[in-house]
Amino acid sequence: MEKQSVTIYTVAREARVSMATVSRVVNGNPNVKPETRQKVLDVIKQLNYRPNAVARGLASKKTTTVGVVIPDITDPYFAELALGIDDVASMYKYNIILTNSDSDDEKILKVVRNLLAKQVDGIIFMGHDVSDELKNELASTNTPVVVAGSVVNDDSLPSVRIDYQAAAKEATAFLLKRGAEQVAYITGPLQYSINSGDRLSGYKNALADGNKDFDDSLVIETDGSYQAGYAKAKEIIEKEIKAAYVTDDSLAAGLLNGLTDAGIKVPDDFELVSSNDTKYTKLVRPMITSITQPLYDIGAISMRLLTKLMDGDDSNDDEKNVILDHGFVERQSTRK
Amino acid sequence: MEKQSVTIYTVAREARVSMATVSRVVNGNPNVKPETRQKVLDVIKQLNYRPNAVARGLASKKTTTVGVVIPDITDPYFAELALGIDDVASMYKYNIILTNSDSDDEKILKVVRNLLAKQVDGIIFMGHDVSDELKNELASTNTPVVVAGSVVNDDSLPSVRIDYQAAAKEATAFLLKRGAEQVAYITGPLQYSINSGDRLSGYKNALADGNKDFDDSLVIETDGSYQAGYAKAKEIIEKEIKAAYVTDDSLAAGLLNGLTDAGIKVPDDFELVSSNDTKYTKLVRPMITSITQPLYDIGAISMRLLTKLMDGDDSNDDEKNVILDHGFVERQSTRK
DNA sequence: GTGAAAGCGCTAACAT
DNA sequence: ATGTTAGCGCTTTCAC
């Protein structure tokens, strides 16, 4: 049984050099004579030495670990962002501490505190808004934070995302353009500023451009889940709504299936446009027409931005809000 | 700006006690006079002291962090396991370092080494098999490992899962029982022992019980992805196959959609049973008849088991392979 | 009930 | 190019 006790000191002793030299070769410091380096390398291999990242973290004050807070890992939207985050993180030799937040402010605060206690070098925040307490928490530290795939009610945080307002406007306008008398706005919690602000504004703008009055009863709020969407089918049918812009794919998929199962033909009897272009939009039948977002890239670029911030690159403060291009893809949930 | 420099020493000085005492109150050690405790607590609050988990980890040799290796975070099967893992981990005050492995042996080895360097207290392994090198790596350490949601070609590792062989047999038998002349076995990589071993055996057993000859040409291997399933529809149609047991939900969903898009009616012209009961089976139409697994629980119990192993509870060595009950749910991809 | 002091394994000046 | 020596912030005997 291999004892866990081979440290930098052991290696130094065996190789007849100092700990500093071992440290140098381990860290790729060029100031080591090739022969010495080789000798140390040999001993390292022979002893199967593995540097202790915790000790290193304590001494260097860098853990090469970043915290990622995610509302729900099983949500395809966040999972695809997370994939991009993880890939870039591993590219830059960072590890990810991933924690589910359940979109619960209490829990978010708890996990962020915990992340900070673990001395993460940075944090990627996926979620909808930040509470005042969290804002304070974040302000009291100089750990960089990047918001990925959302806008948050605190413009002080760097973020990577698309222009949700413009996208929502286009989606709504698309529906209007093909003759919809009225277009509903079916949304996740309006408590989130992305839903009550950006997207709703875009929706209203499109209405205005199309000379339609905004009708409050057409704003249908849910918790944003598949189940909620499925359940809302009934209300949609009763209200005789014929078209809707939906703020989330899970929600849209649920609504679509609910409608279909209730005998409504999409897109003939009902037209639907969703927001995120996750796998769900292509999994269901009919496939859902949607705003497209470079999900993986949003995650990847968030992480890339975070690495810069962690390196103390505070240049171009204006570039801290990265707005990526979005698109739109016509599929089967809208008429030709 | 809050300086990052309030340490246990600062608190000790302010509270006029020793570092040891501060450590005691922080760690809930009862050997502290209530008044002293209160005084320390006050100072902690006042100074907004936060213990440094890295230093703690170095001193105590426990990081309260576990590594989780996952093939693909966007796969609903693994994502649901991960949710269970994360919930229980946070329940036991552990954090999760999550790393995508892409099911690539090289990368798996790399991430496991990294996890070990970070001194994780344990590892949850999701994946299909372990390479010899990984096996050695794991053997050279005493960090406990639990395999979640799979069987692995190394029985020495504790695991939490269902009886894949029995489940596959039931699924195949179900298809046979309703008159299928032949049932195909559509699978992810046969390189994985779960596919070439457990499930295939179950499939063959069902065939034998139904007095059907095993036909090699009915074993259709893919990479297990949605895309692969979608693409295989053509072959299924050409071979005039009428029923299949599929080893993975993404694969099954792809196949189903491919078939449907090609004009094949499921279940009238083709019957399909899948294996994992993830969200995908309920998202598509027709919904997919499937073996059911307590996905969340598998993750949760894996993590629970790991906590026991990390606590050095090596009792009942026989209980280290936890086999959970599975079920079966008839949905719309099979005839009534 | 409380304190003193020795590490934990490494990095980072600073010397040489 | 290499070695010496302080720490990093905490836990943990061991005394008292």
Side-chain angles (χ1 to χ4, degrees):
Chain A
M1 286 295 103
E2 189 89 20
K3 284 283 180 72
Q4 190 60 325
S5 47
V6 27
T7 75
I8 200 172
Y9 173 77
T10 327
V11 175
R13 180 159 43 73
E14 291 301 306
R16 305 178 170 291
V17 297
S18 71
M19 289 164 51
T21 298
V22 178
S23 178
R24 287 190 187 96
V25 350
V26 166
N27 293 295
N29 184 318
N31 289 2
V32 181
K33 187 162 41 163
E35 309 142 43
T36 313
R37 174 185 308 281
Q38 194 52 55
K39 185 171 54 176
V40 172
L41 252 18
D42 289 346
V43 175
I44 286 178
K45 182 153 296 174
Q46 179 201 326
L47 262 40
N48 192 28
Y49 166 69
R50 230 64 80 43
N52 179 324
V54 174
R56 191 191 298 224
L58 182 59
S60 70
K61 299 184 165 307
K62 299 191 80 283
T63 54
T64 60
T65 302
V66 312
V68 174
V69 359
I70 190 168
D72 176 5
I73 194 181
T74 69
D75 183 315
Y77 179 70
F78 296 113
E80 291 188 39
L81 295 182
L83 190 61
I85 293 170
D86 188 72
D87 277 1
V88 172
S90 87
M91 197 173 299
Y92 284 87
K93 313 286 186 198
Y94 280 93
N95 283 107
I96 289 302
I97 295 187
L98 201 282
T99 36
N100 260 76
S101 73
D102 303 336
S103 293
D104 174 63
D105 279 349
E106 284 286 319
K107 190 165 181 196
I108 291 175
L109 194 62
K110 207 188 90 194
V111 307
V112 168
R113 283 191 171 137
N114 193 246
L115 255 16
L116 259 16
K118 292 246 160 131
Q119 313 298 120
V120 294
D121 298 334
I123 293 177
I124 302 251
F125 182 82
M126 290 181 273
H128 302 292
D129 279 309
V130 326
S131 66
D132 288 345
E133 270 192 289
L134 179 57
K135 201 177 304 186
N136 289 338
E137 199 70 38
L138 261 19
S140 77
T141 190
N142 36 34
T143 308
V145 178
V146 172
V147 174
S150 187
V151 289
V152 133
N153 60 335
D154 184 344
D155 292 331
S156 64
L157 295 177
S159 69
V160 178
R161 51 185 168 95
I162 64 162
D163 183 338
Y164 300 107
Q165 180 173 339
K169 179 176 175 182
E170 288 165 32
T172 308
F174 178 85
L175 253 10
L176 252 20
K177 212 171 304 168
R178 54 199 48 218
E181 259 315 303
Q182 46 179 22
V183 174
Y185 177 77
I186 304 182
T187 182
L190 284 171
Q191 169 201 344
Y192 304 153
S193 54
I194 188 175
N195 290 330
S196 59
D198 307 61
R199 285 175 176 144
L200 187 54
S201 302
Y203 167 77
K204 285 179 177 172
N205 288 162
L207 253 33
D209 282 3
N211 293 315
K212 301 279 180 188
D213 285 333
F214 171 70
D215 177 352
D216 212 25
S217 72
L218 256 30
V219 173
I220 298 177
E221 182 179 11
T222 72
D223 65 13
S225 68
Y226 176 87
Q227 287 72 19
Y230 197 92
K232 275 296 176 194
K234 188 160 172 287
E235 182 176 335
I236 301 300
I237 294 169
E238 282 167 358
K239 285 190 175 173
E240 300 190 347
I241 294 173
K242 302 297 180 197
Y245 163 65
V246 184
T247 63
D248 182 273
D249 288 357
S250 296
L251 183 60
L255 178 61
L256 172 63
N257 280 343
L259 251 17
T260 303
D261 290 356
I264 302 296
K265 297 284 178 214
V266 176
D268 298 337
D269 302 336
F270 185 87
E271 291 191 286
L272 174 64
V273 175
S274 189
S275 298
N276 301 333
D277 195 39
T278 62
K279 295 178 178 179
Y280 280 16
T281 58
K282 294 149 237 173
L283 214 45
V284 294
R285 290 294 179 278
M287 291 191 273
I288 301 174
T289 294
S290 179
I291 293 163
T292 61
Q293 302 190 37
L295 262 18
Y296 179 93
D297 292 348
I298 290 176
I301 293 173
S302 299
M303 186 62 212
R304 179 65 184 103
L305 174 57
L306 187 62
T307 64
K308 285 184 187 165
L309 297 176
M310 291 185 301
D311 285 349
D313 180 357
D314 275 20
S315 62
N316 21 14
D317 242 34
D318 32 78
E319 266 191 21
K320 274 182 184 164
N321 273 63
V322 181
I323 311 292
L324 263 29
D325 287 342
H326 61 272
F328 191 86
V329 58
E330 208 172 325
R331 286 198 270 249
Q332 306 163 333
S333 68
T334 47
R335 279 183 239 123
K336 286 292 167 199
Chain B
M1 286 290 109
E2 189 89 17
K3 283 281 177 76
Q4 189 62 323
S5 49
V6 28
T7 76
I8 199 172
Y9 174 76
T10 327
V11 175
R13 179 159 44 73
E14 290 302 306
R16 307 182 168 288
V17 296
S18 71
M19 287 164 52
T21 298
V22 177
S23 178
R24 288 189 186 96
V25 349
V26 166
N27 292 296
N29 183 318
N31 288 3
V32 181
K33 187 163 42 165
E35 308 143 43
T36 314
R37 175 183 308 281
Q38 194 51 55
K39 185 171 54 178
V40 172
L41 252 17
D42 289 347
V43 174
I44 286 178
K45 181 153 297 173
Q46 179 202 324
L47 261 42
N48 191 28
Y49 167 69
R50 229 65 80 44
N52 180 324
V54 174
R56 191 192 299 224
L58 182 58
S60 68
K61 299 185 164 307
K62 298 192 80 279
T63 54
T64 62
T65 302
V66 313
V68 174
V69 359
I70 190 169
D72 176 5
I73 196 183
T74 68
D75 182 317
Y77 179 70
F78 296 113
E80 290 186 41
L81 296 182
L83 190 61
I85 293 169
D86 188 72
D87 276 0
V88 172
S90 86
M91 198 173 299
Y92 283 87
K93 312 287 185 197
Y94 281 93
N95 282 108
I96 289 303
I97 294 187
L98 201 281
T99 35
N100 259 76
S101 73
D102 302 336
S103 293
D104 173 63
D105 279 349
E106 285 286 320
K107 189 164 182 198
I108 291 175
L109 194 61
K110 207 188 90 195
V111 308
V112 168
R113 282 191 171 137
N114 194 245
L115 254 16
L116 260 16
K118 292 247 160 132
Q119 314 298 118
V120 294
D121 297 333
I123 293 178
I124 302 252
F125 182 81
M126 290 180 272
H128 302 292
D129 279 310
V130 326
S131 66
D132 287 345
E133 269 192 290
L134 179 57
K135 202 178 299 187
N136 289 338
E137 199 69 39
L138 261 18
S140 77
T141 190
N142 36 32
T143 308
V145 178
V146 171
V147 174
S150 188
V151 289
V152 133
N153 61 334
D154 184 344
D155 292 330
S156 65
L157 294 177
S159 69
V160 178
R161 51 188 169 95
I162 64 162
D163 183 338
Y164 299 107
Q165 180 172 341
K169 179 176 175 183
E170 289 166 31
T172 308
F174 177 86
L175 253 10
L176 252 21
K177 213 171 307 168
R178 55 199 48 217
E181 260 315 302
Q182 46 179 22
V183 175
Y185 177 78
I186 304 180
T187 182
L190 285 170
Q191 168 202 345
Y192 303 154
S193 53
I194 187 175
N195 290 330
S196 59
D198 308 61
R199 284 174 176 145
L200 187 54
S201 302
Y203 166 77
K204 285 179 177 173
N205 289 164
L207 251 35
D209 282 4
N211 294 314
K212 301 280 181 189
D213 286 332
F214 171 69
D215 178 353
D216 212 26
S217 72
L218 256 30
V219 172
I220 299 176
E221 182 179 11
T222 72
D223 66 13
S225 68
Y226 176 88
Q227 286 73 17
Y230 196 92
K232 276 294 175 193
K234 187 159 171 287
E235 182 176 336
I236 301 300
I237 295 170
E238 281 167 0
K239 287 189 174 173
E240 298 191 350
I241 295 172
K242 301 297 180 196
Y245 162 64
V246 184
T247 63
D248 182 274
D249 288 358
S250 296
L251 183 60
L255 178 61
L256 172 64
N257 280 342
L259 252 17
T260 303
D261 290 356
I264 303 294
K265 297 283 178 213
V266 177
D268 296 339
D269 302 336
F270 185 87
E271 291 190 287
L272 174 64
V273 175
S274 190
S275 298
N276 301 333
D277 195 38
T278 62
K279 294 179 178 179
Y280 280 16
T281 60
K282 294 150 237 172
L283 213 45
V284 295
R285 289 296 179 275
M287 291 190 271
I288 302 175
T289 294
S290 179
I291 294 162
T292 60
Q293 302 190 39
L295 262 18
Y296 178 93
D297 291 350
I298 290 175
I301 292 173
S302 299
M303 186 62 213
R304 180 67 185 100
L305 174 57
L306 188 61
T307 62
K308 286 183 187 166
L309 297 175
M310 293 186 298
D311 286 349
D313 181 356
D314 275 19
S315 61
N316 21 16
D317 242 33
D318 32 79
E319 266 191 21
K320 275 182 184 165
N321 273 64
V322 181
I323 312 293
L324 263 29
D325 288 341
H326 62 270
F328 190 86
V329 59
E330 209 173 323
R331 286 197 270 249
Q332 306 162 335
S333 68
T334 48
R335 279 183 238 121
K336 284 295 166 196

